[in-house]
mmCIF file of all heavy atoms in Angstrom:
data_model
loop_
_atom_site.group_PDB
_atom_site.id
_atom_site.type_symbol
_atom_site.label_atom_id
_atom_site.label_comp_id
_atom_site.label_asym_id
_atom_site.label_seq_id
_atom_site.Cartn_x
_atom_site.Cartn_y
_atom_site.Cartn_z
ATOM 1 N N SER A 1120 -16.723 18.976 -3.669
ATOM 2 C CA SER A 1120 -17.010 17.933 -4.743
ATOM 3 C C SER A 1120 -18.536 18.056 -5.102
ATOM 4 O O SER A 1120 -18.871 17.965 -6.236
ATOM 5 C CB SER A 1120 -16.740 16.515 -4.047
ATOM 6 O OG SER A 1120 -17.339 15.562 -4.942
ATOM 7 N N ALA A 1121 -19.289 18.288 -4.012
ATOM 8 C CA ALA A 1121 -20.776 18.409 -4.234
ATOM 9 C C ALA A 1121 -21.183 19.629 -5.001
ATOM 10 O O ALA A 1121 -21.912 19.563 -5.974
ATOM 11 C CB ALA A 1121 -21.429 18.366 -2.914
ATOM 12 N N ILE A 1122 -20.611 20.810 -4.648
ATOM 13 C CA ILE A 1122 -21.016 21.999 -5.411
ATOM 14 C C ILE A 1122 -20.284 22.131 -6.673
ATOM 15 O O ILE A 1122 -19.131 22.168 -6.647
ATOM 16 C CB ILE A 1122 -20.624 23.234 -4.406
ATOM 17 C CG1 ILE A 1122 -21.372 23.196 -3.115
ATOM 18 C CG2 ILE A 1122 -20.737 24.529 -5.228
ATOM 19 C CD1 ILE A 1122 -20.978 24.149 -2.113
ATOM 20 N N GLY A 1123 -21.084 22.208 -7.692
ATOM 21 C CA GLY A 1123 -20.499 22.296 -9.021
ATOM 22 C C GLY A 1123 -21.527 22.647 -10.064
ATOM 23 O O GLY A 1123 -22.484 23.288 -9.782
ATOM 24 N N LEU A 1124 -21.325 22.091 -11.288
ATOM 25 C CA LEU A 1124 -22.236 22.483 -12.322
ATOM 26 C C LEU A 1124 -23.614 21.994 -12.052
ATOM 27 O O LEU A 1124 -24.676 22.588 -12.421
ATOM 28 C CB LEU A 1124 -21.802 21.937 -13.717
ATOM 29 C CG LEU A 1124 -20.441 22.422 -14.116
ATOM 30 C CD1 LEU A 1124 -19.828 21.560 -15.252
ATOM 31 C CD2 LEU A 1124 -20.412 23.848 -14.474
ATOM 32 N N GLY A 1125 -23.718 20.877 -11.280
ATOM 33 C CA GLY A 1125 -25.001 20.385 -10.943
ATOM 34 C C GLY A 1125 -25.828 21.401 -10.149
ATOM 35 O O GLY A 1125 -27.138 21.446 -10.271
ATOM 36 N N ASN A 1126 -25.194 22.231 -9.369
ATOM 37 C CA ASN A 1126 -25.996 23.183 -8.579
ATOM 38 C C ASN A 1126 -26.349 24.424 -9.442
ATOM 39 O O ASN A 1126 -27.368 25.085 -9.372
ATOM 40 C CB ASN A 1126 -25.119 23.770 -7.406
ATOM 41 C CG ASN A 1126 -24.678 22.682 -6.560
ATOM 42 O OD1 ASN A 1126 -24.021 21.812 -6.952
ATOM 43 N ND2 ASN A 1126 -25.016 22.728 -5.309
ATOM 44 N N PRO A 1196 -16.446 7.861 -12.194
ATOM 45 C CA PRO A 1196 -16.134 9.283 -12.053
ATOM 46 C C PRO A 1196 -15.171 9.772 -13.139
ATOM 47 O O PRO A 1196 -15.219 10.992 -13.569
ATOM 48 C CB PRO A 1196 -15.423 9.368 -10.704
ATOM 49 C CG PRO A 1196 -15.017 8.073 -10.401
ATOM 50 C CD PRO A 1196 -15.934 7.075 -11.010
ATOM 51 N N ILE A 1199 -17.446 10.611 -16.036
ATOM 52 C CA ILE A 1199 -18.126 11.902 -15.740
ATOM 53 C C ILE A 1199 -17.183 13.013 -15.848
ATOM 54 O O ILE A 1199 -17.407 14.020 -16.550
ATOM 55 C CB ILE A 1199 -18.689 12.012 -14.210
ATOM 56 C CG1 ILE A 1199 -19.715 10.926 -13.957
ATOM 57 C CG2 ILE A 1199 -19.257 13.388 -13.978
ATOM 58 C CD1 ILE A 1199 -20.264 10.814 -12.617
ATOM 59 N N TYR A 1203 -17.564 16.387 -18.156
ATOM 60 C CA TYR A 1203 -17.658 17.509 -17.221
ATOM 61 C C TYR A 1203 -16.606 18.568 -17.572
ATOM 62 O O TYR A 1203 -16.830 19.701 -17.545
ATOM 63 C CB TYR A 1203 -17.364 16.971 -15.852
ATOM 64 C CG TYR A 1203 -17.981 17.747 -14.587
ATOM 65 C CD1 TYR A 1203 -19.314 17.664 -14.256
ATOM 66 C CD2 TYR A 1203 -17.121 18.750 -13.971
ATOM 67 C CE1 TYR A 1203 -19.710 18.371 -13.127
ATOM 68 C CE2 TYR A 1203 -17.584 19.478 -12.930
ATOM 69 C CZ TYR A 1203 -18.954 19.259 -12.468
ATOM 70 O OH TYR A 1203 -19.394 19.982 -11.425
ATOM 71 N N PHE A 1319 -28.439 12.646 -5.940
ATOM 72 C CA PHE A 1319 -27.229 11.860 -6.218
ATOM 73 C C PHE A 1319 -26.123 12.577 -6.935
ATOM 74 O O PHE A 1319 -24.956 12.529 -6.595
ATOM 75 C CB PHE A 1319 -27.512 10.501 -7.026
ATOM 76 C CG PHE A 1319 -28.277 9.438 -6.130
ATOM 77 C CD1 PHE A 1319 -28.801 9.779 -4.936
ATOM 78 C CD2 PHE A 1319 -28.306 8.160 -6.640
ATOM 79 C CE1 PHE A 1319 -29.399 8.741 -4.200
ATOM 80 C CE2 PHE A 1319 -28.853 7.229 -5.918
ATOM 81 C CZ PHE A 1319 -29.452 7.459 -4.739
ATOM 82 N N PHE A 1320 -26.574 13.150 -8.027
ATOM 83 C CA PHE A 1320 -25.487 13.950 -8.834
ATOM 84 C C PHE A 1320 -24.862 15.032 -8.056
ATOM 85 O O PHE A 1320 -23.643 15.275 -7.949
ATOM 86 C CB PHE A 1320 -26.155 14.505 -10.102
ATOM 87 C CG PHE A 1320 -25.193 15.016 -11.063
ATOM 88 C CD1 PHE A 1320 -24.443 14.127 -11.898
ATOM 89 C CD2 PHE A 1320 -24.838 16.336 -11.067
ATOM 90 C CE1 PHE A 1320 -23.507 14.773 -12.819
ATOM 91 C CE2 PHE A 1320 -23.937 16.896 -11.947
ATOM 92 C CZ PHE A 1320 -23.166 16.076 -12.820
ATOM 93 N N SER A 1321 -25.775 15.846 -7.392
ATOM 94 C CA SER A 1321 -25.215 16.981 -6.669
ATOM 95 C C SER A 1321 -24.418 16.561 -5.520
ATOM 96 O O SER A 1321 -23.428 17.279 -5.249
ATOM 97 C CB SER A 1321 -26.492 17.853 -6.216
ATOM 98 O OG SER A 1321 -25.990 19.104 -5.894
ATOM 99 N N LEU A 1322 -24.695 15.480 -4.842
ATOM 100 C CA LEU A 1322 -23.871 15.152 -3.689
ATOM 101 C C LEU A 1322 -22.690 14.190 -4.133
ATOM 102 O O LEU A 1322 -22.002 13.586 -3.266
ATOM 103 C CB LEU A 1322 -24.650 14.538 -2.610
ATOM 104 C CG LEU A 1322 -25.534 15.645 -1.840
ATOM 105 C CD1 LEU A 1322 -26.487 14.995 -0.840
ATOM 106 C CD2 LEU A 1322 -24.559 16.645 -1.045
ATOM 107 N N SER A 1323 -22.562 13.974 -5.360
ATOM 108 C CA SER A 1323 -21.540 13.083 -5.946
ATOM 109 C C SER A 1323 -21.553 11.738 -5.357
ATOM 110 O O SER A 1323 -20.489 11.114 -4.992
ATOM 111 C CB SER A 1323 -20.109 13.730 -5.604
ATOM 112 O OG SER A 1323 -20.085 15.073 -5.784
ATOM 113 N N LEU A 1324 -22.769 11.161 -5.318
ATOM 114 C CA LEU A 1324 -22.903 9.834 -4.615
ATOM 115 C C LEU A 1324 -22.660 8.645 -5.664
ATOM 116 O O LEU A 1324 -22.960 8.761 -6.806
ATOM 117 C CB LEU A 1324 -24.337 9.668 -4.057
ATOM 118 C CG LEU A 1324 -24.646 10.590 -2.960
ATOM 119 C CD1 LEU A 1324 -26.007 10.318 -2.340
ATOM 120 C CD2 LEU A 1324 -23.586 10.622 -1.862
ATOM 121 N N VAL A 1326 -20.157 7.127 -6.804
ATOM 122 C CA VAL A 1326 -19.080 6.999 -7.826
ATOM 123 C C VAL A 1326 -17.777 6.997 -7.174
ATOM 124 O O VAL A 1326 -16.744 7.309 -7.771
ATOM 125 C CB VAL A 1326 -19.172 8.042 -8.951
ATOM 126 C CG1 VAL A 1326 -20.414 7.815 -9.800
ATOM 127 C CG2 VAL A 1326 -19.270 9.402 -8.382
ATOM 128 N N THR A 1328 -16.274 9.084 -5.109
ATOM 129 C CA THR A 1328 -15.527 10.342 -4.672
ATOM 130 C C THR A 1328 -15.698 10.459 -3.229
ATOM 131 O O THR A 1328 -14.691 10.853 -2.550
ATOM 132 C CB THR A 1328 -16.191 11.547 -5.444
ATOM 133 O OG1 THR A 1328 -17.522 11.565 -5.351
ATOM 134 C CG2 THR A 1328 -15.754 11.585 -6.807
ATOM 135 N N ASP A 1353 -24.369 22.193 0.298
ATOM 136 C CA ASP A 1353 -24.729 21.940 -1.146
ATOM 137 C C ASP A 1353 -26.161 22.460 -1.482
ATOM 138 O O ASP A 1353 -26.309 23.098 -2.495
ATOM 139 C CB ASP A 1353 -24.692 20.472 -1.410
ATOM 140 C CG ASP A 1353 -24.864 20.134 -2.900
ATOM 141 O OD1 ASP A 1353 -24.018 20.638 -3.710
ATOM 142 O OD2 ASP A 1353 -25.806 19.462 -3.198
ATOM 143 N N SER A 1419 -15.246 20.294 -8.039
ATOM 144 C CA SER A 1419 -15.826 18.918 -8.321
ATOM 145 C C SER A 1419 -14.851 18.083 -9.160
ATOM 146 O O SER A 1419 -14.685 16.855 -8.880
ATOM 147 C CB SER A 1419 -17.176 19.072 -9.131
ATOM 148 O OG SER A 1419 -18.057 19.789 -8.309
ATOM 149 N N SER A 1420 -14.268 18.622 -10.247
ATOM 150 C CA SER A 1420 -13.452 17.810 -11.116
ATOM 151 C C SER A 1420 -12.339 17.231 -10.341
ATOM 152 O O SER A 1420 -11.908 16.144 -10.650
ATOM 153 C CB SER A 1420 -13.064 18.623 -12.357
ATOM 154 O OG SER A 1420 -12.333 19.726 -12.030
ATOM 155 N N SER A 1422 -12.181 16.139 -7.365
ATOM 156 C CA SER A 1422 -12.641 14.967 -6.683
ATOM 157 C C SER A 1422 -12.729 13.770 -7.469
ATOM 158 O O SER A 1422 -12.453 12.652 -7.153
ATOM 159 C CB SER A 1422 -13.894 15.301 -5.898
ATOM 160 O OG SER A 1422 -15.045 15.357 -6.742
ATOM 161 N N MET A 1423 -13.237 14.008 -8.705
ATOM 162 C CA MET A 1423 -13.333 12.864 -9.673
ATOM 163 C C MET A 1423 -11.935 12.335 -10.050
ATOM 164 O O MET A 1423 -11.730 11.138 -10.164
ATOM 165 C CB MET A 1423 -14.125 13.245 -10.837
ATOM 166 C CG MET A 1423 -15.415 13.841 -10.637
ATOM 167 S SD MET A 1423 -16.174 14.414 -12.207
ATOM 168 C CE MET A 1423 -17.117 15.801 -11.694
ATOM 169 N N MET A 1487 -24.342 5.754 -11.188
ATOM 170 C CA MET A 1487 -24.533 6.444 -9.905
ATOM 171 C C MET A 1487 -25.512 5.623 -9.128
ATOM 172 O O MET A 1487 -25.311 5.323 -7.881
ATOM 173 C CB MET A 1487 -25.001 7.876 -9.997
ATOM 174 C CG MET A 1487 -23.928 8.711 -10.561
ATOM 175 S SD MET A 1487 -24.399 10.461 -10.426
ATOM 176 C CE MET A 1487 -23.057 11.009 -9.409
HETATM 177 N N1 LIG B 1953 -21.581 17.014 -7.557
HETATM 178 C C1 LIG B 1953 -21.017 17.553 -8.761
HETATM 179 C C2 LIG B 1953 -21.825 18.724 -9.239
HETATM 180 O O1 LIG B 1953 -22.861 18.934 -8.679
HETATM 181 C C3 LIG B 1953 -20.784 16.541 -9.911
HETATM 182 C C4 LIG B 1953 -20.073 15.358 -9.424
HETATM 183 C C5 LIG B 1953 -20.618 14.131 -9.726
HETATM 184 C C6 LIG B 1953 -18.800 15.395 -8.815
HETATM 185 C C7 LIG B 1953 -20.051 12.837 -9.343
HETATM 186 C C8 LIG B 1953 -18.220 14.192 -8.406
HETATM 187 C C9 LIG B 1953 -18.734 12.945 -8.772
HETATM 188 O O2 LIG B 1953 -21.578 19.370 -10.186
#
Side-chain angles (χ1 to χ4, degrees):
S1120 172
I1122 294 171
L1124 298 168
N1126 305 57
I1199 301 180
Y1203 204 86
F1319 281 18
F1320 188 83
S1321 194
L1322 286 171
S1323 322
L1324 296 185
V1326 291
T1328 48
D1353 185 61
S1419 297
S1420 61
S1422 71
M1423 306 174 209
M1487 290 190 118

